Amino acid sequence: MAMERPDEEKPETCDVRVQDRIQGGTTTPVQSPTRLGPTRFSEVAGDKLRNTGSDLIGSISSWINGDLNRKRGKRKRIRTAKTAACVIALVGFFIFVNWFMLSQLHEGRAWLRRGFSKKPNLNPNVKLNPDPNPTTKRVSVKVSASVQHGEKKKKKMGKPKKKYNGTYGRMLAFASHALAEGQDKLEPKELWREPKDQALAWKPCADQRSWKPNDGKNGYIMVTANGGINQQRVAVCNIVVVARMLNATLVVPKFMFSDVWTDASQFGDIYQVEHFIKYLSPDIKIVKKLPKELQSLDLEAIGSLVTDMDIMKEAKPGFYMKHILPLLLKNRVVHFFGFGNRLAFDPIPFELQRLRCRCNFHALNFVPKIQETGAILVRRLRDSGSHLAPVDPYLVGPKFASFILDKKAGPLHKASKYLAVHLRFEIDMVAHSLCYFGGGDAEKTELDAYREKHFPTLANLTKTTKMPSPDDLRTEGVCPLSPEEAVLMLAGLGFNRQTRVFIAGANIYGGMKRLAALTSLYPNLVTKENILSQTELEPFKNFSSQLAVLDFIACAASDAFAMTDSGSQLSSLVSGYRIYYGAGKMPTIRPNKRRFSDILLKNNTIEWKVFEQRVRKTVRQTKHVLVRPTGRSVYRYPRCKECMCSED
């Protein structure tokens, strides 16, 4: 990039005399250029300089041939000689400045090419291309300082607008070089570890009971849970608590068909119904269907149909006792339609909270078809091995846990480690976030149309209410990480290029092109579609919820699990499952998106070593063993006295 020099003024008297002499003594001077920088390359200035040079050469030639000697006297000759000397000096000055600027420009471009086309020098103490010529080195340093000074001046002129174009080309180049240079280095040990001693102090104990079962005599509760498989799981656990609270008999839950998930799977297609009923029998009474005398009731007509619009989010137990219990006693049945996250975590009685944990971690076992395929998936991800992870028997059952083991492998054969990443970047998440991911007008049009169809309330809100800008949302840490941001986080943490990375999440927004950064930096990246054959996947085809369960199993069983959006239900449930059954050996990586966003804002200037240090610090702070904060999910934070028992 050419550097502009400041305006320089020439001595006017010298210019006028030169022009007078060149133009045969006319008194109308041609205005000399006032800048010596890029303007000298413009067409007009170039022609003018060329014409001036020709006239000068002609005048000098005439002077040499003696034309002026025959017409002028001795004083005239002296004056002409001085003028010619001035002309020659000026022309020489122009030629020197032109040569100097071109050489400097060439040096600067070469320096820039070295900085971006070659592998970046990540260690300032190591010179990638030592120059034996100290003079050249000094010139290069001066050019570098000049370029940096120019960048500082531009920054002072105005704060650059935040750009999130989803590419991060400079940082990805640094990451690629760092992974290539460090492929033989050992990864930081904390990547695959939890703070073990603190984590081991907590033991699962939600299976303990200290009450008698309800008889369910107050009536029947039906529920149709909405959302995807993970939202439905939360809804089931919540309705079990509501049934106990109201002394009602629970009918086996049903799942609502969603045009987002387009999956007709029901409770029995995913969970073992008989185990669910039997395991919770000491807590509540559960039946498979309503008695015949109640099946013909028009629940909506009698006011027994309760939608999610009728119940506030995270309603307290008092709400159900005041509004739902009288309705149940009156009509003998209440149907919660579209039920989801409609029960508060605090305040709630101790035993009811423990029941919620018991349902999530003990009562909901996957059907054998899913367990068997999940076991095959985990075995291949580990490349076989001679040991089981602590969560394996609970994920796939004792029977299929043996499938994970390689019976031919000896005790010295260690299973390969793998990192699972839940890349929550499907179109529904992207659209609902109201964030921007670098797709320009096409992205905006597509996501606006998606919101109009699937999130009409949100779409109307954006039209009638001033919403935070995408930049503000990202700065506040509410945007999910894009694939490019996710790979920068992994590389910054120190996962090396050979790490096997399992990606959970279907239909990534932007398709395989959006995964280019991940696949180029981590070539051992796989999905369940890569690991399992078409025959093995066939029973789950067109059942997105059942496919999501396979992702759940692979993530929960992984040696390390990283989430890109901490608000995701799958990430919350997986991380909680790993805490509950992990025995302090199954770390989870939760990025602080607000701080990570602040780091990425500097992606055009930050050096890789500084980036690594800051990323590792932000993630290290999230790996502390914490007791569940008040009001937070027991599914995500099971370290509380209701779910887990502490030795402290």
Side-chain angles (χ1 to χ4, degrees), residues 163-354:
K163 295 291 184 182
Y164 298 95
N165 57 11
T167 57
Y168 299 102
R170 176 178 176 272
M171 294 305 299
L172 289 172
F174 279 140
S176 178
H177 179 66
L179 292 177
E181 290 291 314
Q183 58 184 352
D184 297 325
K185 295 180 180 179
L186 294 176
E187 296 168 322
K189 293 181 179 180
E190 64 268 17
L191 291 179
W192 305 98
R193 293 181 181 177
E194 275 192 283
K196 189 174 179 181
D197 293 338
Q198 295 172 307
L200 281 175
W202 293 88
K203 306 292 184 182
C205 60
D207 56 336
Q208 299 177 8
R209 299 176 174 90
S210 59
W211 60 12
K212 295 181 180 179
N214 272 5
D215 54 19
K217 65 179 181 181
N218 285 343
Y220 293 85
I221 285 182
M222 300 173 61
V223 63
T224 303
N226 65 359
I229 179 62
N230 303 295
Q231 290 83 359
Q232 291 167 348
R233 186 183 183 105
V234 170
V236 169
C237 296
N238 286 343
I239 203 65
V240 165
V241 175
V242 171
R244 172 73 194 204
M245 188 193 312
L246 302 180
N247 191 17
T249 298
L250 177 65
V251 180
V252 171
K254 293 184 178 180
F255 293 158
M256 181 185 296
F257 179 84
S258 169
D259 57 354
V260 174
W261 298 99
T262 61
D263 186 354
S265 298
Q266 287 301 315
F267 185 89
D269 298 318
I270 298 172
Y271 301 109
Q272 298 178 29
V273 175
E274 296 300 332
H275 174 79
F276 178 72
I277 294 174
K278 181 178 180 180
Y279 193 85
L280 293 177
S281 60
D283 304 301
I284 61 172
K285 184 178 179 181
I286 304 175
V287 296
K288 294 183 179 180
K289 59 178 65 176
L290 279 175
K292 290 184 178 180
E293 65 271 17
L294 298 177
Q295 292 179 9
S296 59
L297 290 176
D298 186 339
L299 299 183
E300 185 175 7
I302 65 176
S304 283
L305 185 67
V306 180
T307 69
D308 59 342
M309 299 297 291
D310 300 321
I311 309 174
M312 69 184 73
K313 185 179 180 180
E314 296 189 3
K316 293 179 173 57
F319 172 88
Y320 292 92
M321 300 302 294
K322 180 178 179 180
H323 299 283
I324 304 302
L325 181 58
L327 189 62
L328 180 67
L329 294 173
K330 176 184 177 183
N331 297 329
R332 295 188 61 202
V333 59
V334 171
H335 184 186
F336 291 93
F337 189 81
F339 190 75
N341 191 17
R342 291 294 185 268
L343 179 63
F345 290 103
D346 292 298
I348 192 169
F350 178 92
E351 287 296 340
L352 290 178
Q353 191 81 290
R354 175 164 284 188

Side-chain angles (χ1 to χ4, degrees), residues 476-523:
E476 288 299 315
V478 297
C479 296
L481 298 188
S482 68
E484 295 86 357
E485 292 167 339
V487 75
L488 286 175
M489 178 186 72
L490 298 181
L493 289 173
F495 286 102
N496 65 37
R497 187 172 172 80
Q498 283 72 41
T499 302
R500 171 167 286 191
V501 181
F502 175 81
I503 295 294
N507 303 318
I508 301 301
Y509 179 63
M512 291 305 297
K513 290 182 179 179
R514 200 77 206 224
L515 289 176
L518 267 168
T519 54
S520 63
L521 268 64
Y522 290 97

Side-chain angles (χ1 to χ4, degrees), residues 304-527:
S304 283
L305 185 67
V306 180
T307 69
D308 59 342
M309 299 297 291
D310 300 321
I311 309 174
M312 69 184 73
K313 185 179 180 180
E314 296 189 3
K316 293 179 173 57
F319 172 88
Y320 292 92
M321 300 302 294
K322 180 178 179 180
H323 299 283
I324 304 302
L325 181 58
L327 189 62
L328 180 67
L329 294 173
K330 176 184 177 183
N331 297 329
R332 295 188 61 202
V333 59
V334 171
H335 184 186
F336 291 93
F337 189 81
F339 190 75
N341 191 17
R342 291 294 185 268
L343 179 63
F345 290 103
D346 292 298
I348 192 169
F350 178 92
E351 287 296 340
L352 290 178
Q353 191 81 290
R354 175 164 284 188
L355 174 59
R356 181 146 56 178
C357 292
R358 183 156 56 246
C359 179
N360 181 53
F361 296 114
H362 295 275
L364 295 177
N365 286 356
F366 299 122
V367 295
K369 176 183 70 173
I370 292 176
Q371 287 182 334
E372 181 178 9
T373 306
I376 295 172
L377 176 60
V378 172
R379 173 175 175 169
R380 291 175 185 168
L381 283 170
R382 292 181 186 159
D383 194 23
S384 302
S386 58
H387 78 281
L388 292 175
V391 301
D392 291 350
Y394 304 100
L395 279 172
V396 300
K399 175 183 177 181
F400 296 108
S402 61
F403 282 22
I404 297 175
L405 293 175
D406 185 353
K407 297 179 181 178
K408 298 179 181 179
L412 298 179
H413 179 78
K414 294 184 178 180
S416 300
K417 292 181 179 179
Y418 75 94
L419 164 71
V421 180
H422 181 216
L423 191 60
R424 184 68 169 98
F425 204 69
E426 295 89 350
I427 189 171
D428 63 309
M429 182 67 173
V430 173
H432 197 273
S433 71
L434 298 178
C435 298
Y436 174 67
F437 297 96
D441 292 338
E443 176 186 306
K444 184 178 183 302
T445 301
E446 182 179 10
L447 296 183
D448 284 345
Y450 190 91
R451 280 189 287 267
E452 288 284 350
K453 180 178 180 181
H454 299 286
F455 306 123
T457 303
L458 180 61
N460 291 332
L461 190 64
T462 59
K463 297 174 183 177
T464 59
T465 306
K466 184 178 180 181
M467 307 296 289
S469 69
D471 284 347
D472 292 337
L473 291 172
R474 192 176 296 273
T475 302
E476 288 299 315
V478 297
C479 296
L481 298 188
S482 68
E484 295 86 357
E485 292 167 339
V487 75
L488 286 175
M489 178 186 72
L490 298 181
L493 289 173
F495 286 102
N496 65 37
R497 187 172 172 80
Q498 283 72 41
T499 302
R500 171 167 286 191
V501 181
F502 175 81
I503 295 294
N507 303 318
I508 301 301
Y509 179 63
M512 291 305 297
K513 290 182 179 179
R514 200 77 206 224
L515 289 176
L518 267 168
T519 54
S520 63
L521 268 64
Y522 290 97
N524 290 331
L525 183 146
V526 294
T527 65

